[in-house]
Amino acid sequence: MNLMDLEVKGVATSPSNQIQSFSGRKKPLQKEWTSKSWTMQNPCLPVVPRLDLGSLVGSDDEEEDIIPENLPASAGKYKLKCQQYKTEMKEGYKWYSQRNAEKTKSNITHEQSPRNKIDDMYAQREEEITDDLTTLDRKALLQQGYADNPYNALQNTRKSDSEIVAAEKKKQTVAEQVMIDQLSRAVISDPEQNVTTEKQGSAPILPESNIAPLRVRKRTLHETKIRTQSTLTENMLSHKVQFDSRIISRNGRDACRELIGFFFTHDQSLTIYEYRQFGKNRPNVLPFIQKNIYSHQRGRRKGKQYQLGDFYIGANLTFLSSDHPRLSENIKENTLLILRITNIDQIALDSLRTDSLEHEDDINSQEANDRLAFKAIQDKLKEQLHKRGVRILTGLAKYFQQLDKEGNGLLDKADFEHALQLFHLEVSEKDFESSWLILNDNGNGKVDYGEFKRAIFGEMNEYRKSFVRKAFMKLDFNKTGSVPIIDIRKCYCAKKHPQVISGHTTEEEIKSSFLETLKGDCSKSDGVSYGEFEDYYEGLSIEIVEDEDFVNILRTPWGI
């Protein structure tokens, strides 16, 4: 190409300028050549044209032209990884957009009160919902497909046998450690150990020739010569009933504590220990509730001492948090510590139970009437929750949590009435008043919303709930009480879902539908607490009749 024909956007380059510019480069660099000196010798600088962005080709189009056509097909596992990566990126962008939208909404001031804002939000979401199912309801019902899987009897028998062996070993280890702890405490805390004995003569004892030297003889740190009258014996402590329990709490860390209790019949006392696993082979039990004689702190039996008949699966044990200063700060925030018995040594209970129980007939009849009143409300609401239990229960939990501004879990009567109307749940005024009189036993006009939900909706039995806790504890390996959505996505496996096996849908679609329904009513967009995880499966449990079908819904995707 001839230099004489060069042209920059219509401005011709003169021959003299071209020759001058090239000749200038041939000059020896003896002087300091700076931009200032170059400007002085070239006063007329060339005009730089504006870049025309419209004429540029899109980057996507260029990449499509560059990629060759005859490339080998990628492997299936890389396609799956690519699809998962795209889904995670989309969810991350969606979460980022939602967070920015929430920040923008929070910066905008409205004339409405916070209560009205919450009501309007839920009313707008529920106003279009009738008897027909929503998209979230249909996606939640997909989880019931795991119950239709053919049950692998051999594999589940092996799992149950191993679980039974592990539970029995754990029970034996705990009982031995508790027995040693209680016997040691009885001797050390006995005031008669402080009694001084008469001093014997301090005549020097000469060592005999036939006695072994001191370094070989057995020596002990302390050897008491006092036989106290109040010291416990192993035989007395053997008359006991061992039971497993859990804390009824919205705090996931406290709700997942493994508690093991003992009720001793010789003095009607009880104690509770917390089971801890330090590493793989270092189990230990730590005192949680000191051994003492305790009484009921609420309900029809308030003020009455605990007896053998009060211990059965599903029974509640109540304690005053102020009486136990060693409890964690989260537990002491509530006035009452409520424990639920999840399992009990039925053989020991039957052997210790006698016909002459000390329960009053009037209290038994009153408690039976209370259960019947709640059962009538639960049966009516179960029909209304048909196939939409997940959405209603998770939505109610979030609604109650937003109304609880003080954070103590207590709401008044008007809040519960309004919540039932907002979620289109019909409860007669007579049934509501009767349930309120039972729940508001202290007469302060406020009831814990978790207790209210359990009373009018019912709850899954402790066998089902134990598997819910197992699944959550597998996810929450740090025991923080909350699990990130990313970890749930990684651990959830939908390969054995019937629709995935038949080819009607993909594993990613089942997983996405589960995550969408799970985090739909969570308080945090990037994590799920234990209470929210339990509410989700509480809604699923309403539709499942058989316990093993419900357990299969948890075992299959979570691998427990």
Side-chain angles (χ1 to χ4, degrees), residues 193-221:
Q193 289 291 338
N194 297 327
V195 178
T196 58
T197 58
E198 296 180 0
K199 295 183 179 180
Q200 299 179 354
S202 57
I205 301 175
L206 298 176
E208 300 179 6
S209 59
N210 57 354
I211 297 178
L214 187 63
R215 58 185 178 82
V216 181
R217 275 184 271 168
K218 181 180 178 181
R219 291 171 291 175
T220 56
L221 180 64

Side-chain angles (χ1 to χ4, degrees), residues 10-278:
V11 181
T13 309
S14 62
S16 59
N17 289 342
Q18 291 289 335
I19 296 171
Q20 183 178 359
S21 62
F22 280 99
S23 62
R25 291 183 183 179
K26 295 179 182 179
K27 294 180 180 180
L29 298 175
Q30 296 177 358
K31 301 179 181 180
E32 293 183 359
W33 192 264
T34 62
S35 60
K36 184 175 180 180
S37 60
W38 186 86
T39 305
M40 293 176 61
Q41 293 188 9
N42 300 275
C44 298
L45 297 176
V47 180
V48 179
R50 177 176 293 179
L51 182 63
D52 188 6
L53 297 177
S55 62
L56 296 178
V57 184
S59 59
D60 295 338
D61 299 336
E62 290 179 356
E63 291 179 358
E64 290 180 359
D65 296 336
I66 294 173
I67 297 176
E69 298 180 355
N70 300 325
L71 283 177
S74 58
K77 62 178 182 179
Y78 295 107
K79 286 184 179 180
L80 182 60
K81 288 183 179 180
C82 181
Q83 187 178 4
Q84 292 177 353
Y85 176 74
K86 286 182 179 180
T87 306
E88 291 178 359
M89 292 297 292
K90 287 180 181 180
E91 287 187 355
Y93 178 75
K94 183 179 179 181
W95 171 79
Y96 181 77
S97 303
Q98 289 177 354
R99 188 178 66 173
N100 289 341
E102 291 174 359
K103 288 183 179 179
T104 305
K105 288 182 181 179
S106 62
N107 293 333
I108 300 175
T109 56
H110 299 279
E111 297 180 357
Q112 297 179 342
S113 63
R115 170 64 181 272
N116 292 334
K117 292 179 185 178
I118 298 173
D119 292 347
D120 292 344
M121 179 181 66
Y122 283 92
Q124 184 179 2
R125 190 179 73 171
E126 298 289 333
E127 63 182 358
E128 299 178 357
I129 298 176
T130 58
D131 295 335
D132 298 332
L133 298 180
T134 63
T135 305
L136 288 178
D137 292 332
R138 294 187 180 90
K139 290 183 177 180
L141 291 175
L142 288 175
Q143 300 301 311
Q144 297 184 10
Y146 292 111
D148 300 331
N149 280 345
Y151 222 66
N152 190 342
L154 180 60
Q155 183 179 1
N156 287 303
T157 301
R158 291 175 179 174
K159 285 185 178 180
S160 60
D161 291 343
S162 62
E163 290 174 357
I164 291 173
V165 171
E168 191 64 28
K169 183 179 179 181
K170 172 182 172 182
K171 175 183 175 182
Q172 186 176 2
T173 303
V174 170
E176 290 176 357
Q177 293 190 14
V178 170
M179 190 72 69
I180 294 173
D181 182 52
Q182 290 299 320
L183 291 173
S184 302
R185 288 172 183 269
V187 174
I188 295 174
S189 60
D190 196 336
E192 295 184 16
Q193 289 291 338
N194 297 327
V195 178
T196 58
T197 58
E198 296 180 0
K199 295 183 179 180
Q200 299 179 354
S202 57
I205 301 175
L206 298 176
E208 300 179 6
S209 59
N210 57 354
I211 297 178
L214 187 63
R215 58 185 178 82
V216 181
R217 275 184 271 168
K218 181 180 178 181
R219 291 171 291 175
T220 56
L221 180 64
H222 171 72
E223 183 177 354
T224 179
K225 295 182 180 180
I226 303 173
R227 254 180 122 166
T228 58
Q229 301 295 328
S230 60
T231 303
L232 287 176
T233 62
E234 187 175 354
N235 187 26
M236 296 171 65
L237 291 177
S238 63
H239 299 285
K240 65 183 184 303
V241 176
Q242 182 175 344
F243 58 89
D244 299 337
S245 62
R246 62 180 178 87
I247 302 175
I248 298 180
S249 174
R250 287 175 295 274
N251 186 296
R253 188 173 183 179
D254 295 332
C256 291
R257 291 177 184 264
E258 297 184 63
L259 302 181
I260 301 173
F262 297 86
F263 178 76
F264 302 98
T265 57
H266 72 279
D267 60 352
Q268 305 292 305
S269 63
L270 68 91
T271 182
I272 295 175
Y273 285 76
E274 182 179 0
Y275 180 81
R276 293 280 188 91
Q277 186 77 27
F278 300 96

Side-chain angles (χ1 to χ4, degrees), residues 454-550:
R454 291 189 293 270
I456 67 168
F457 293 106
E459 57 181 329
M460 67 179 95
N461 57 42
E462 293 302 323
Y463 177 71
R464 297 187 180 193
K465 197 159 290 189
S466 64
F467 283 90
V468 175
R469 295 174 72 238
K470 282 181 183 178
F472 188 83
M473 291 169 69
K474 180 179 180 180
L475 298 171
D476 186 23
F477 51 87
N478 290 328
K479 297 184 179 181
T480 59
S482 180
V483 181
I485 290 291
I486 298 176
D487 293 345
I488 296 178
R489 166 173 281 279
K490 291 178 181 178
C491 295
Y492 184 88
C493 179
K495 291 181 180 179
K496 295 183 180 180
H497 194 280
Q499 294 191 14
V500 176
I501 296 174
S502 62
H504 289 84
T505 185
T506 62
E507 181 182 353
E508 187 61 33
E509 290 175 353
I510 297 295
K511 184 182 294 187
S512 299
S513 65
F514 168 74
L515 292 175
E516 184 179 354
T517 54
L518 177 63
K519 67 180 182 180
D521 286 308
C522 292
S523 57
K524 296 181 180 179
S525 58
D526 58 343
V528 179
S529 66
Y530 172 76
E532 294 162 347
F533 190 81
E534 186 183 71
D535 288 336
Y536 179 88
Y537 282 101
E538 193 79 61
L540 280 180
S541 178
I542 295 176
E543 303 292 331
I544 308 299
V545 179
E546 299 295 334
D547 289 342
E548 294 304 326
D549 291 340
F550 179 80

Side-chain angles (χ1 to χ4, degrees), residues 355-371:
D355 297 332
S356 59
L357 295 178
E358 300 179 0
H359 291 302
E360 293 82 358
D361 293 336
D362 55 346
I363 294 181
N364 285 333
S365 60
Q366 290 175 359
E367 291 177 342
N369 293 333
D370 295 344
R371 287 192 291 268

